[in-house]
Amino acid sequence: MGFDSLSPVVPARVKVLTLPLGNVKRSRFVGFVERLQHENVVPLGDISPDKRPNRTMFSPQGRSGAILFDLSTSFPSQSHLSLAPFELFREPLIVVGICDALDITDLRSGEDNGPEIHVSNQTIADLSHHAEAMRDLYPRALVHHCLAFDLTESVALPEGFTIVPPVSLSTTTTIKTVLCDLASYMLAEMTTYAKSLQALPTIESPRAPEGFGLTGSRAEPPTDLSRHNSQLSVGSQNSRTGSPSDYDRTQHRMSMPAQLPSTSSAASSISPGMAGMSRPGPRNGTRTPPPTTFEEIAGNTVSPSEAPKKSNLTRSSAALGGREHSRERVSVSGFGSGSLSERARNKGKGRVGVIIGTLYMLAGRWSDGLKEFVDSATVGEANRDHIWHGKALENILVCQLMLAWNRQEFEIPSICYPNPEKASASSRPSSHTPSNSQSSINGSAKASESARVTTLRNLSLLIPDFATMILNYYTRASNYGGEALPQLAFSESVLRISRLLVILRCSNGQLGDETLRLIVTNAESTRALDLRRIAISIQPTRMEILRIVLRSYPSDVSSLSVTDRITILAGIATILSSLHLHRKKAFFVRELIETLVPALVQARKVGAAEMGVHPAAGLVSSTPISGVHTETGTLNMRTDDVESGIGTLMTALGQVYGIVGSSNPSNYDFSNDGIAMKVSQNAKTQAFGNKVLKIGILRMCINLCEALPDFKGVLRCTTELLQTAKAEPLKSYEQEVVSMLSREEQVRLATNISRTVSASRRLKLRGIEADYWDEFIVRAIELSQLPPWQRPVPHAKKELEELGALEEQKEKSLFIYNPFLKVNDFVAGDECLVAGEQIAFRVVLQNPFAFELELDYVRLEHEGVEFESNEQGAVLLPYRSQALIISGVPKTAGMLRIVGCVIKIRGCRKRRFPVFRDSWYLDVGPKIKTIGLEDSEPLKGRPISNASTSSRNALEQAKGPSASNLELTVINEQPTVIVKATSLSQAAMMVLEGEVKAFTMTLQNLSKSAPADLLLFSFQDSTSAPLQAAMSNKNNSTSELYELELMLTQRQAFRRRPKENESIYIGPGQSSTFEIEVLGKPGLTNGVVQVDYACLGVPKAEIRGQFYTRKLVLPVSITVNASVEVLRADCTPFHMSLDRKSSDSDESAIIPEKAAKTARNASPNRDFSSLFTYLEKARDYPGVFLLLLDLRNAWPDPLTVKLQIGQDDGDNTSQTTGENATLENSWTSTYTIDEILHPGHTTRMIMPVPCIFLPNPQQPIPSLNPATKRQFVVSAGKGNPEIERTMRENFWYKEEILKRIRASWHDTQGHTGAVELRAIRLTPKMIEAVKVEDVGISNTVTSDESFRQVGRYKFEVLTDSYISVFTRIHNRMTRPLCPLLRLQPSLHNQPHNIALDTSKSIAWNGLLQRVLPVLGPGETTVVETSFCILCHGEYEFGASVEEVKVWSFPKDEVVKKSNQDASAPDSLCAIEERRIWHAREGCIVFSKDRVADFIENDEASLPE
């Protein structure tokens, strides 16, 4: 537990000086002192009283109190020692020497018990010399004692040494027992010291020392530091000699513990400046009996044989008068109670009483001390001894606080209450003591709680006025010559009282137990003042405390050393900070720095002169770094001095002036959120205050740190200055950032950083580096665009399944979409890397300053998978942004996130910088009026009024800039495949339209470990884009859209030709050859063969999630020349009756002349006679139409054209599209026509084709695009339904024709190809020739008498014979038919009005019009009607079938049928009206009379 030097109760503490004896390491010495400091409060009940009867004046026996030890490792300065015994707490009363067991012991081998601890005789002698030297150096102390720490065994040590076991062997009372023994020695020696003081007639008031320079030492060093010579009225001389120069050398560094030599001649090597101090006390373990006469006092104090005479004395009157002068003053006084001599004697008694009371207070007997102080204050008030009166009142306040803290009962003396009507000194007897001036102290251990609370309440109310009265007495003393209180004592008294008032106000003006503990034990932890909780009426107010604390400001600094001035200014700043008066505090801090800088510069010069070097050449850092302590420096500070002292000072200034402070790198959050928050806070701080003032403060701080020298402080302030001087530090990196510093100053600051870091490295100091001042140095990190062949492309497993299903089909019928053909543009954020392959990143860095930045290295910072980044050094030029290319290699697969860069800038600490791409400005939010430094604090909410309900929401805190991360996916190691060779010359080829030509390409895998187990071939050509553009036209009809889709999907220009037992696999380092087919089609000028390859490592069915492929592209230039063109096409009906006798012999009876001529050129084994024979034997003869094609040879060489027609079974009612729908057996037996086309010639080729029946010619036209998710495409236009039906009918009949015919060509050079027949366009007339009706009607004639069939539907019968006409009706529809049959006999080849007049030529039995039973789908019925032809001639029997009604299915059956039959017509083409069908060919009957020639010619054919 540490104490504050400006604590309100510091006068009640006993200063203990701790010194290292021998070679004690600094760290261990500090640890030993901390062990003692933890037990610095020693209760009087734990102290053993001295048994000697003449040493019981301060006996602790039966007393309730405690002694508070204030352990220090530095000796007070002369300015503090000169105030003793007026302020006895400034002088160390106990000197403790500390030695380490590691330094004084060694191990020796024992006879029986092994190694044992041994202390040599030489070591014991050295310790004795050390103890003797300590007594000689500090003779004014009451107690000199030595402690041997960490000794585990009892060792014979010299007298005056105490063994302290290590922590592991110590108990809770070990250290407390040691301190109790020290307290017992001190209390015993206090008796001697007190009795010697009581024998004195008076004690002089302290006087301010004169002649302090900038370094803090006196212009003329003191020549006598003995207690009696400096503080008492008796004369004395030094007991030891010392030179002024040696004294100054030991006093230049008071913050470090005094070092004692470790050799036997220690007494002669210790700084003799301390040898001037002497006082009676124990020496070599014996105590001197108390003096009884003035001669004994003088004899104990002065040693004339050792002390030489001094010529430069500070107080010459005291030194020359000596003891004889004191006797004269005593002997000549005594001429009445009101005389000057009597007043002087009373003053002397009062002053001695103040010192005796101080001894009681230090001894922990606060009740006795309070009594002495009250008596002395009464005497001082009566004799106008204002300084001692004020000191007595101040100590009364301290005693009362200590009694209250110890929960002892007391009463507030009446002298503490201000008396505004004070009587003059002449009206009051000098020896008068008021009856109520005695302190009433209750001797009981416990007081009544209610009485204590009342006392504390009264004391808290009294303290403000009581403090003012004390200070007024100190001020009043300055009106008397020679009685003014020294500035140091007055300023520190004001600061102590002000600190008490601050604590009292922070406690709401009440003295409670917590407040008393805060005052007594830890004054440094004063609570922060909360203005919102403390009422304005609480006394004392802030302004009252401010007026009091400003009285401590020294008006004349010439009487103060630099150290004292700094202490006072720091105390003022601390109290103002507790009052939240930060701007006023900053004023004093600034003056403190202005005081420090010239003093430090002067100290540097003096130290360098003593060392004989230049001031700038012999400096080292004032901060030992990383435990490395340098003892050769001119300023040897502790490790935490700069960090806790200078760093706190800089932080305080930064908070007041709005300066961006540097954080401790070990505690700084370098995450993206942490840096963004820091940027936001810095921007808020920079927006507060005046920048010109900030820059001035930082320049002053740099001067201070350079004067120390403090390398860390120089770097910190320089970086803060560069960061503050930027006018707009958060602009986009494309914009120029302007600085408020000139170019020359910026360069000087950069050079200063470099010089400071270089100096620290020369001195082998570690960790001295600056923090870079611009968080926006990294503005962008981008992945350098990979070449297409190296870029991994992600794919879903579904894409692989779709492509596999497509490849399984012989003819690819899927639409154009291929996921491996889509263009993968380079989009930031979608990049993918391959493990083990080097990748390059583009890093954009900015330098907004006027000097170059030397980057030792830049390395990418990552998260996620293992990644090895290369380091790249660079030099950033002034005022610009530069791009660096940094490469790296991901080691494993997974997610890789590039979060920033690790940059080491020359002279700056290596650290991580996030990526801030966008510009960012601080959002100031709503403007709210604030006062003082509240404007720099973040707003927690809007001001809320009682009537407001809409403004109660808290304000959002300003958000910092958003850091950009580059997220990348790293996949497993992948192969690298290249095109090793191709069979093409210069990647170009020539083909004819319809020709298929192949070329080979050899692929090689360059990877040494990853095989290419997935190879996917995709193709693109120049015809795809025009077709896709045409498909995007919304005005296309459905048939046109189908043609475009078909050309795009089933007429692909490129295709891989698979080989038998081919394995698509390329091992590491191996090669494989593939064959590619090219189809010549119009518009094909170039194409691309794309190979997507990957290393899956598992079968395709086991792929989970995404997989990645690489793309290999081979461009091919193609020239397509025209071959055979289809100029026009026509379909003509072909009606003829087949003569069974001539069908096998007379081909001309069946085939017209043109057809016969064509047939003669056909293959002899594949003539059309077999076709007609096949059709004749068909169950339901469909009929025949002639297909006429005009073909032109556009190639300069003759071409042979082959036209083929495939057989159909005549019962194929399936309705599909495309060439893939053709049955496998359709071309097993074909009918072929061969024709040679000469160059530029056109020829017409005629081919009989069976008529076609379609069950639903109005079926919607399907779509080949699976992306539409529909089987059929609805026309985009809102046209006439009749037009739509006609278009659909044309489409479906064309598809059926193309399924039955095909054409090819070849030449003599081996070229072969197919003729594109899709250019055929059908007209309604052509459709009538092609189609077969839904209801087939045919008539045949039989007779019981002689008749002959001369054709398929031609018969010869006898006149007046009965014939039977059989009408065959076949329902080809998919729904039932309700038929109405009408037979219509007529005269053949006659006008219509004459042909129907058959009443006299034909007779029939029954009705010609009758309703037939319902005819189901696919059913056939035959109706017989008897006729009798009455006269010869040519007759025609026609037939027609009309629907009686439209058949309608039940509702549930309609739904079921529509779900099962996808070919059901849609509502657009649905037919609701009744229909009628006519026989396609009429039945011709030739009636002849019974003549002989008829019988002769036809006898053989007549039935038997």
Side-chain angles (χ1 to χ4, degrees):
M1 169 189 322
F3 290 122
D4 184 12
S5 61
L6 298 179
S7 171
V9 295
V10 71
R13 298 173 184 167
V14 177
K15 185 175 287 295
V16 179
L17 177 64
T18 56
L19 304 173
L21 295 182
N23 298 325
V24 183
K25 291 184 178 181
R26 176 187 177 86
S27 59
R28 293 182 62 83
F29 174 74
V30 173
F32 298 152
V33 174
E34 288 179 353
R35 290 183 63 184
L36 297 174
Q37 188 71 29
H38 283 302
E39 302 292 340
N40 55 1
V41 179
V42 179
L44 295 181
D46 297 340
I47 301 174
S48 300
D50 197 294
K51 297 181 180 180
R52 290 172 291 183
N54 57 346
R55 303 293 179 93
T56 59
M57 180 177 179
F58 300 96
S59 175
Q61 188 173 8
R63 302 292 180 175
S64 178
I67 297 178
L68 278 70
F69 288 117
D70 184 7
L71 277 71
S72 175
T73 58
S74 60
F75 193 76
S77 63
Q78 176 60 28
S79 60
H80 289 258
L81 293 176
S82 62
L83 296 176
F86 178 75
E87 291 181 343
L88 198 58
F89 65 90
R90 298 181 182 275
E91 184 180 13
L93 300 181
I94 300 176
V95 178
V96 177
I98 295 177
C99 58
D100 190 1
L102 298 179
D103 180 47
I104 64 176
T105 61
D106 54 359
L107 296 179
R108 285 190 177 182
S109 300
E111 297 179 357
D112 299 330
N113 299 327
E116 60 183 11
I117 297 176
H118 175 74
V119 180
S120 63
N121 295 331
Q122 182 64 36
T123 303
I124 295 177
D126 292 341
L127 292 178
S128 300
H129 285 294
H130 292 329
E132 183 70 19
M134 183 178 66
R135 296 187 184 97
D136 294 339
L137 285 174
Y138 307 102
R140 296 164 61 98
L142 297 179
V143 177
H144 299 80
H145 201 75
C146 299
L147 301 178
F149 276 85
D150 287 358
L151 278 176
T152 57
E153 300 180 6
S154 298
V155 180
L157 295 178
E159 186 179 0
F161 280 78
T162 300
I163 296 176
V164 181
V167 178
S168 59
L169 301 179
S170 300
T171 62
T172 57
T173 60
T174 300
I175 300 298
K176 184 174 291 187
T177 302
V178 173
L179 292 178
C180 288
D181 294 341
L182 294 177
S184 178
Y185 299 153
M186 183 192 69
L187 295 179
E189 297 301 326
M190 274 187 177
T191 302
T192 304
Y193 182 42
K195 290 182 178 179
S196 64
L197 292 176
Q198 290 175 346
L200 299 177
T202 185
I203 299 176
E204 292 186 359
S205 299
R207 299 179 182 274
E210 299 177 356
F212 282 97
L214 291 175
T215 60
S217 61
R218 298 175 59 90
E220 295 182 359
T223 57
D224 194 356
L225 295 178
S226 64
R227 181 181 303 279
H228 299 282
N229 185 38
S230 62
Q231 295 157 352
L232 306 180
S233 60
V234 295
S236 177
Q237 294 182 351
N238 277 337
S239 61
R240 298 183 63 88
T241 62
S243 64
S245 61
D246 289 339
Y247 173 78
D248 289 340
R249 188 177 300 111
T250 58
Q251 294 297 316
H252 78 276
R253 184 73 177 102
M254 295 299 178
S255 61
M256 292 299 297
Q259 300 285 339
L260 292 178
S262 57
T263 61
S264 59
S265 59
S268 62
S269 62
I270 296 178
S271 173
M274 295 292 106
M277 298 183 294
S278 63
R279 70 146 282 96
R283 185 178 182 89
N284 296 329
T286 60
R287 294 184 175 92
T288 305
T292 56
T293 64
F294 286 102
E295 289 80 6
E296 292 180 3
I297 295 175
N300 291 336
T301 306
V302 182
S303 180
S305 62
E306 297 180 3
K309 295 183 179 180
K310 306 297 180 179
S311 60
N312 298 325
L313 296 179
T314 305
R315 299 176 182 178
S316 57
S317 59
L320 296 176
R323 180 166 165 252
E324 290 78 11
H325 180 63
S326 299
R327 290 179 178 178
E328 291 175 0
R329 292 192 343 184
V330 173
S331 61
V332 298
S333 61
F335 294 93
S337 59
S339 63
L340 294 177
S341 60
E342 180 65 20
R343 179 177 296 181
R345 284 194 296 270
N346 291 337
K347 282 185 178 181
K349 291 178 56 179
R351 294 180 179 183
V352 172
V354 171
I355 303 302
I356 298 300
T358 302
L359 291 175
Y360 277 115
M361 183 173 61
L362 293 175
R365 295 173 56 172
W366 304 306
S367 301
D368 297 334
L370 181 61
K371 176 181 178 182
E372 292 291 337
F373 290 138
V374 170
D375 295 339
S376 300
T378 304
V379 174
E381 181 182 17
N383 296 279
R384 298 183 179 180
D385 194 359
H386 302 300
I387 293 181
W388 293 87
H389 182 201
K391 175 56 64 177
L393 295 179
E394 182 181 359
N395 290 339
I396 289 174
L397 178 60
V398 174
C399 289
Q400 293 179 92
L401 293 175
M402 300 303 297
L403 290 171
W405 169 71
N406 202 41
R407 304 185 68 86
Q408 291 181 243
E409 185 178 357
F410 68 94
E411 291 184 2
I412 301 175
S414 59
I415 197 173
C416 297
Y417 293 95
N419 184 10
E421 299 176 358
K422 186 173 294 185
S424 59
S426 60
S427 64
R428 180 179 297 178
S430 60
S431 60
H432 173 71
T433 301
S435 61
N436 57 355
S437 64
Q438 298 293 332
S439 176
S440 177
I441 305 299
N442 191 355
S444 61
K446 297 293 183 178
S448 173
E449 186 66 23
S450 59
R452 180 175 180 272
V453 171
T454 302
T455 302
L456 293 180
R457 183 173 60 251
N458 295 336
L459 181 60
S460 62
L461 296 176
L462 175 64
I463 285 176
D465 295 334
F466 190 30
T468 304
M469 183 174 65
I470 294 172
L471 298 180
N472 290 337
Y473 278 117
Y474 285 152
T475 306
R476 193 178 302 173
S478 61
N479 297 327
Y480 298 88
E483 292 293 328
L485 186 65
Q487 184 65 50
L488 174 62
F490 177 76
S491 297
E492 291 193 355
S493 298
V494 174
L495 293 177
R496 289 195 297 269
I497 292 174
S498 301
R499 177 66 65 85
L500 176 61
L501 296 178
V502 170
I503 297 175
L504 185 63
R505 177 167 177 79
C506 292
S507 302
N508 291 325
Q510 299 177 359
L511 283 177
D513 293 338
E514 183 178 359
T515 304
L516 292 170
R517 285 195 300 270
L518 194 63
I519 294 173
V520 175
T521 60
N522 193 6
E524 293 182 356
S525 301
T526 304
R527 299 174 184 175
L529 183 60
D530 192 349
L531 300 178
R532 294 172 296 182
R533 300 195 319 176
I534 299 178
I536 300 178
S537 59
I538 296 298
Q539 297 294 328
T541 63
R542 286 204 307 167
M543 293 300 103
E544 292 176 354
I545 300 176
L546 175 62
R547 284 192 292 270
I548 293 176
V549 73
L550 291 181
R551 296 174 65 179
S552 64
Y553 183 76
S555 57
D556 183 14
V557 297
S558 60
S559 61
L560 294 176
S561 65
V562 174
T563 305
D564 297 336
R565 271 181 277 168
I566 292 174
T567 303
I568 295 172
L569 293 175
I572 295 174
T574 302
I575 295 176
L576 293 178
S577 177
S578 301
L579 294 174
H580 278 203
L581 301 173
H582 299 291
R583 291 190 293 183
K584 294 180 175 60
K585 175 194 72 174
F587 173 81
F588 290 97
V589 173
R590 183 172 183 177
E591 185 174 352
L592 185 149
I593 295 176
E594 292 177 349
T595 304
L596 272 175
V597 171
L600 292 174
V601 172
Q602 182 66 21
R604 178 193 298 180
K605 294 179 180 179
V606 173
E610 293 180 357
M611 297 176 64
V613 296
H614 191 273
L619 299 178
V620 296
S621 172
S622 60
T623 310
I625 306 299
S626 303
V628 179
H629 180 70
T630 58
E631 299 181 356
T632 60
T634 57
L635 295 176
N636 192 8
M637 301 175 68
R638 291 186 301 175
T639 303
D640 57 348
D641 282 346
V642 174
E643 294 296 332
S644 301
I646 302 300
T648 304
L649 183 67
M650 302 301 176
T651 303
L653 279 176
Q655 292 176 352
V656 174
Y657 290 99
I659 299 174
V660 176
S662 301
S663 302
N664 188 359
S666 60
N667 300 329
Y668 185 61
D669 183 9
F670 286 102
S671 64
N672 289 348
D673 295 338
I675 295 178
M677 183 179 298
K678 178 186 176 183
V679 171
S680 177
Q681 294 174 353
N682 291 349
K684 177 66 176 177
T685 304
Q686 287 180 346
F688 171 76
N690 186 282
K691 281 200 172 184
V692 177
L693 188 59
K694 297 178 186 179
I695 293 174
I697 292 295
L698 288 172
R699 288 169 177 164
M700 184 175 61
C701 293
I702 292 175
N703 295 333
L704 171 63
C705 296
E706 289 178 347
L708 282 174
D710 176 18
F711 292 160
K712 282 188 175 181
V714 171
L715 297 178
R716 173 181 176 178
C717 295
T718 305
T719 56
E720 291 177 1
L721 178 56
L722 289 172
Q723 187 172 6
T724 303
K726 288 188 297 183
E728 294 183 6
L730 308 179
K731 279 187 175 181
S732 177
Y733 65 91
E734 291 88 358
Q735 303 174 358
E736 182 180 356
V737 179
V738 182
S739 177
M740 297 182 66
L741 300 178
S742 63
R743 181 184 182 89
E744 292 74 15
E745 186 173 2
Q746 292 187 52
V747 174
R748 183 181 60 81
L749 292 175
T751 306
N752 192 23
I753 293 176
S754 178
R755 186 178 66 251
T756 303
V757 174
S758 300
S760 65
R761 291 176 180 175
R762 287 195 302 269
L763 296 172
K764 298 181 181 181
L765 300 177
R766 298 188 298 269
I768 303 296
E769 290 178 321
D771 291 324
Y772 187 64
W773 44 91
D774 184 15
E775 300 290 345
F776 285 73
I777 185 174
V778 182
R779 301 314 302 266
I781 298 180
E782 301 171 350
L783 180 65
S784 296
Q785 186 171 358
L786 297 174
W789 58 270
Q790 191 180 2
R791 188 184 310 156
V793 180
H795 299 280
K797 181 182 179 182
K798 182 180 179 182
E799 298 177 3
L800 188 61
E801 295 174 351
E802 293 176 352
L803 189 63
L806 181 62
E807 291 182 346
E808 289 177 359
Q809 300 181 5
K810 293 182 179 180
E811 298 292 339
K812 297 184 179 180
S813 60
L814 290 179
F815 189 59
I816 58 173
Y817 174 72
N818 186 346
F820 296 91
L821 284 179
K822 60 183 179 180
V823 179
N824 297 283
D825 296 331
F826 185 79
V827 179
D830 296 338
E831 297 85 353
C832 180
L833 308 181
V834 179
E837 294 187 5
Q838 189 171 13
I839 191 69
F841 294 86
R842 180 176 179 268
V843 181
V844 179
L845 305 176
Q846 78 166 6
N847 177 19
F849 300 96
F851 49 85
E852 293 181 351
L853 285 178
E854 297 184 19
L855 307 182
D856 292 341
Y857 61 84
V858 180
R859 185 177 69 246
L860 297 176
E861 178 73 9
H862 73 283
E863 295 177 358
V865 300
E866 182 182 358
F867 178 79
E868 180 180 353
S869 173
N870 296 334
E871 295 181 352
Q872 180 69 35
V875 175
L876 294 184
L877 300 179
Y879 295 125
R880 67 187 60 192
S881 298
Q882 293 181 215
L884 299 180
I885 301 299
I886 302 177
S887 59
V889 178
K891 297 298 185 180
T892 57
M895 288 300 299
L896 174 64
R897 184 181 297 105
I898 304 297
V899 297
C901 292
V902 175
I903 303 178
K904 177 63 175 70
I905 303 174
R906 186 72 55 85
C908 296
R909 187 177 289 106
K910 178 188 72 174
R911 53 156 293 189
R912 173 185 174 274
F913 292 91
V915 182
F916 295 115
R917 295 184 61 92
D918 304 326
S919 60
W920 177 84
Y921 298 91
L922 179 66
D923 185 9
V924 296
K927 186 175 182 180
I928 298 178
K929 184 177 181 180
T930 53
I931 300 175
L933 296 180
E934 293 181 0
D935 186 46
S936 62
E937 299 177 357
L939 295 176
K940 298 181 179 179
R942 299 177 184 270
I944 300 176
S945 62
N946 295 331
S948 175
T949 58
S950 61
S951 61
R952 294 181 180 272
N953 296 330
L955 292 177
E956 295 184 359
Q957 296 293 336
K959 296 181 180 180
S962 299
S964 301
N965 297 331
L966 180 60
E967 295 187 357
L968 303 169
T969 301
V970 182
I971 61 176
N972 293 320
E973 186 177 358
Q974 295 295 317
T976 302
V977 178
I978 63 172
V979 179
K980 183 178 181 181
T982 63
S983 61
L984 298 177
S985 176
Q986 298 180 354
M989 65 185 306
M990 187 277 293
V991 294
L992 299 178
E993 287 187 15
E995 181 184 7
V996 176
K997 187 177 288 187
F999 68 92
T1000 60
M1001 57 185 301
T1002 303
L1003 304 181
Q1004 182 180 7
N1005 184 7
L1006 300 180
S1007 177
K1008 297 181 180 180
S1009 58
D1013 54 5
L1014 175 65
L1015 289 172
L1016 303 176
F1017 288 84
S1018 305
F1019 310 96
Q1020 289 179 319
D1021 58 83
S1022 58
T1023 62
S1024 301
L1027 290 175
Q1028 291 176 350
M1031 289 171 54
S1032 62
N1033 187 3
K1034 296 184 178 180
N1035 295 326
N1036 290 332
S1037 63
T1038 54
S1039 60
E1040 293 173 348
L1041 185 61
Y1042 178 85
E1043 292 294 336
L1044 295 173
E1045 293 176 354
L1046 183 67
M1047 294 299 296
L1048 200 58
T1049 57
Q1050 299 184 12
R1051 297 291 190 273
Q1052 297 178 0
F1054 290 87
R1055 186 175 301 178
R1056 186 181 68 86
R1057 181 181 295 175
K1059 300 178 182 179
E1060 187 177 358
N1061 299 327
E1062 182 183 20
S1063 176
I1064 305 180
Y1065 177 88
I1066 305 177
Q1070 298 180 359
S1071 302
S1072 182
T1073 302
F1074 301 93
E1075 191 172 2
I1076 308 299
E1077 294 180 351
V1078 180
L1079 171 63
K1081 53 191 298 188
L1084 180 62
T1085 58
N1086 57 76
V1088 172
V1089 180
Q1090 175 180 316
V1091 182
D1092 294 271
Y1093 61 92
C1095 177
L1096 300 179
V1098 295
K1100 296 179 182 180
E1102 298 180 7
I1103 296 178
R1104 298 292 183 268
Q1106 281 187 334
F1107 67 97
Y1108 293 84
T1109 63
R1110 278 180 170 170
K1111 184 183 300 182
L1112 177 64
V1113 176
L1114 175 64
V1116 180
S1117 298
I1118 301 173
T1119 302
V1120 179
N1121 294 321
S1123 57
V1124 177
E1125 300 176 353
V1126 178
L1127 298 182
R1128 66 187 62 88
D1130 194 7
C1131 296
T1132 303
F1134 180 58
H1135 298 290
M1136 62 175 298
S1137 296
L1138 296 178
D1139 187 355
R1140 292 189 296 171
K1141 293 183 179 180
S1142 61
S1143 61
D1144 296 333
S1145 60
D1146 191 2
E1147 190 176 82
S1148 62
I1150 303 174
I1151 305 176
E1153 181 180 0
K1154 181 66 179 176
K1157 181 179 179 182
T1158 305
R1160 282 193 294 270
N1161 298 325
S1163 300
N1165 57 347
R1166 290 189 180 182
D1167 55 11
F1168 288 103
S1169 59
S1170 60
L1171 173 62
F1172 288 102
T1173 302
Y1174 166 76
L1175 294 176
E1176 181 185 7
K1177 295 179 180 180
R1179 178 183 178 185
D1180 187 10
Y1181 176 62
V1184 177
F1185 69 93
L1186 296 179
L1187 177 63
L1188 287 74
L1189 295 177
D1190 292 344
L1191 304 179
R1192 178 180 177 272
N1193 181 8
W1195 181 243
D1197 294 334
L1199 297 176
T1200 301
V1201 179
K1202 180 185 293 185
L1203 189 61
Q1204 294 177 304
I1205 177 172
Q1207 289 185 1
D1208 195 1
D1209 58 2
D1211 194 26
N1212 182 18
T1213 59
S1214 65
Q1215 187 173 343
T1216 56
T1217 59
E1219 293 184 357
N1220 290 334
T1222 304
L1223 299 178
E1224 291 294 332
N1225 59 352
S1226 299
W1227 306 102
T1228 57
S1229 176
T1230 61
Y1231 305 93
T1232 307
I1233 300 175
D1234 293 335
E1235 185 77 20
I1236 298 177
L1237 295 180
H1238 295 281
H1241 288 195
T1242 301
T1243 185
R1244 173 169 292 182
M1245 302 184 69
I1246 301 176
M1247 175 175 288
V1249 181
C1251 293
I1252 300 170
F1253 168 73
L1254 292 179
N1256 184 16
Q1258 284 79 34
Q1259 178 179 326
I1261 299 175
S1263 173
L1264 299 179
N1265 186 359
T1268 60
K1269 304 298 182 181
R1270 295 176 293 137
Q1271 184 177 1
F1272 302 97
V1273 178
V1274 180
S1275 179
K1278 297 182 179 179
N1280 191 344
E1282 186 65 28
I1283 299 177
E1284 180 71 18
R1285 285 194 293 267
T1286 303
M1287 181 182 64
R1288 294 182 181 182
E1289 192 175 37
N1290 292 346
F1291 171 80
W1292 287 112
Y1293 279 107
K1294 174 185 173 181
E1295 291 298 315
E1296 290 299 321
I1297 293 174
L1298 294 177
K1299 287 195 300 183
R1300 286 165 170 77
I1301 64 173
R1302 66 180 179 182
S1304 61
W1305 58 265
H1306 64 275
D1307 62 0
T1308 58
Q1309 298 179 359
H1311 296 282
T1312 182
V1315 180
E1316 182 59 62
L1317 299 177
R1318 297 203 65 88
I1320 297 175
R1321 295 293 180 265
L1322 301 181
T1323 62
K1325 184 179 179 180
M1326 297 168 63
I1327 292 176
E1328 290 297 328
V1330 172
K1331 72 177 181 178
V1332 176
E1333 297 291 345
D1334 293 340
V1335 178
I1337 306 172
S1338 61
N1339 291 328
T1340 59
V1341 177
T1342 61
S1343 177
D1344 294 337
E1345 300 180 14
S1346 298
F1347 79 98
R1348 183 177 62 179
Q1349 184 175 1
V1350 296
R1352 184 174 181 84
Y1353 296 108
K1354 291 183 180 182
F1355 301 91
E1356 291 182 357
V1357 298
L1358 297 176
T1359 304
D1360 295 332
S1361 63
Y1362 288 96
I1363 63 174
S1364 297
V1365 178
F1366 293 91
T1367 304
R1368 184 175 180 270
I1369 304 173
H1370 177 58
N1371 182 13
R1372 297 189 180 96
M1373 297 185 298
T1374 58
R1375 60 184 177 87
L1377 175 66
C1378 299
L1380 172 63
L1381 176 62
R1382 289 189 181 95
L1383 293 177
Q1384 189 174 7
S1386 62
L1387 297 176
H1388 187 52
N1389 295 329
Q1390 296 295 325
H1392 183 68
N1393 54 348
I1394 298 175
L1396 295 180
D1397 188 9
T1398 59
S1399 59
K1400 296 180 179 180
S1401 57
I1402 300 177
W1404 61 85
N1405 182 18
L1407 298 177
L1408 297 180
Q1409 177 177 319
R1410 70 185 72 178
V1411 176
L1412 303 180
V1414 176
L1415 191 62
E1419 293 183 357
T1420 303
T1421 184
V1422 179
V1423 179
E1424 181 182 358
T1425 306
S1426 299
F1427 287 89
C1428 179
I1429 300 177
L1430 301 179
C1431 61
H1432 68 277
E1434 294 182 11
Y1435 297 90
E1436 181 178 357
F1437 289 88
S1440 63
V1441 175
E1442 183 180 358
E1443 279 186 306
V1444 177
K1445 65 176 181 178
V1446 179
W1447 183 266
S1448 59
F1449 293 96
K1451 186 175 181 180
D1452 55 348
E1453 188 176 350
V1454 172
V1455 175
K1456 181 178 180 182
K1457 187 175 182 62
S1458 62
N1459 294 333
Q1460 296 177 354
D1461 188 7
S1463 64
D1466 56 350
S1467 60
L1468 181 65
C1469 298
I1471 302 175
E1472 301 295 338
E1473 68 274 4
R1474 293 183 297 114
R1475 301 171 62 190
I1476 186 170
W1477 295 271
H1478 302 279
R1480 187 180 184 88
E1481 294 186 24
C1483 181
I1484 308 302
V1485 176
F1486 301 96
S1487 177
K1488 296 183 179 182
D1489 294 334
R1490 296 175 180 272
V1491 294
D1493 57 346
F1494 175 77
I1495 297 174
E1496 293 177 359
N1497 295 332
D1498 298 333
E1499 187 176 5
S1501 61
L1502 291 177
E1504 298 179 355

